[in-house]
Amino acid sequence: MELIEMSKVCEICGKAPVAGRNVSHSHRVTNRVFRPNVQKVTVKIDGKVKRANVCTKCIKAGKIERA
């Protein structure tokens, strides 16, 4: 089981780091991690103000209400 950093998980959509591979021009393959761009922002959830880790796609899409 892979250990996921909770600071890199979006609290709105659940987007989390995903493992993949770098493939060079000579086709040498190395492991890598694709991490979402998660920001700590102040949001209003159910009328309460709290700080949440939210990915930039959710912020741009207007899925949250900034406080």
Side-chain angles (χ1 to χ4, degrees):
M1 189 169 119
E2 186 179 326
L3 187 66
I4 298 175
E5 290 181 59
M6 291 310 291
S7 61
K8 291 291 181 186
V9 176
C10 177
E11 294 180 26
I12 305 302
C13 66
K15 187 182 288 184
V18 176
R21 291 192 166 147
N22 280 329
V23 182
S24 71
H25 183 67
S26 64
H27 208 76
R28 286 175 58 97
V29 177
T30 55
N31 294 330
R32 63 158 295 176
V33 178
F34 294 91
R35 293 185 179 91
N37 187 359
V38 175
Q39 305 294 322
K40 184 162 272 217
V41 294
T42 308
V43 297
K44 247 187 232 179
I45 299 175
D46 299 328
K48 295 179 182 174
V49 176
K50 68 175 250 181
R51 287 176 62 100
N53 292 317
V54 182
C55 70
T56 53
K57 282 196 172 189
C58 289
I59 295 171
K60 285 176 73 174
K63 293 183 180 179
I64 59 163
E65 184 182 346
R66 301 284 295 256

